[in-house]
Amino acid sequence: LFLQQCFILFIVQISYFLPENTIDAKIIFTDMLAKILEEKTLQPGYGLLNIDTQALPNGIYNYSLLIDEKVFDNKKMIRNK
């Protein structure tokens, strides 16, 4: 399992890999107050998410990889216009 991010203008690209036997996987995006901003369901295998951050105010955001409701990885993203 891995998460990797790449920034292109206002788009954050998150690449991931999930084993084929993964059943329930998602990435949850939150602000620093733990308010859920977005939730994306993930499919097994290699994948790429494009997240548009243009509408977000400056700040620090988190995103977490959850599999079967258990957190496997956390990353921070800093938004600075």
Side-chain angles (χ1 to χ4, degrees):
L1 303 173
F2 73 86
L3 290 175
Q4 185 176 14
Q5 66 185 5
C6 172
F7 298 94
I8 302 172
L9 292 178
F10 296 111
I11 303 295
V12 176
Q13 290 186 325
I14 301 172
S15 58
Y16 66 89
F17 172 77
L18 297 170
E20 290 300 321
N21 62 349
T22 303
I23 296 171
D24 180 28
K26 58 189 167 187
I27 289 184
I28 296 178
F29 298 88
T30 60
D31 63 14
M32 289 306 292
L33 299 175
K35 177 183 173 191
I36 296 176
L37 303 174
E38 193 167 357
E39 188 173 313
K40 299 277 189 177
T41 301
L42 305 177
Q43 300 301 317
Y46 289 95
L48 181 68
L49 290 176
N50 290 315
I51 306 300
D52 186 351
T53 64
Q54 190 168 4
L56 294 176
N58 288 348
I60 299 173
Y61 299 88
N62 296 305
Y63 57 94
S64 303
L65 171 63
L66 281 77
I67 299 176
D68 296 327
E69 300 300 321
K70 296 177 186 158
V71 176
F72 274 81
D73 200 359
N74 288 301
K75 301 280 185 188
K76 288 190 183 201
M77 176 181 68
I78 299 173
R79 174 72 171 104
N80 189 9
K81 294 182 183 180

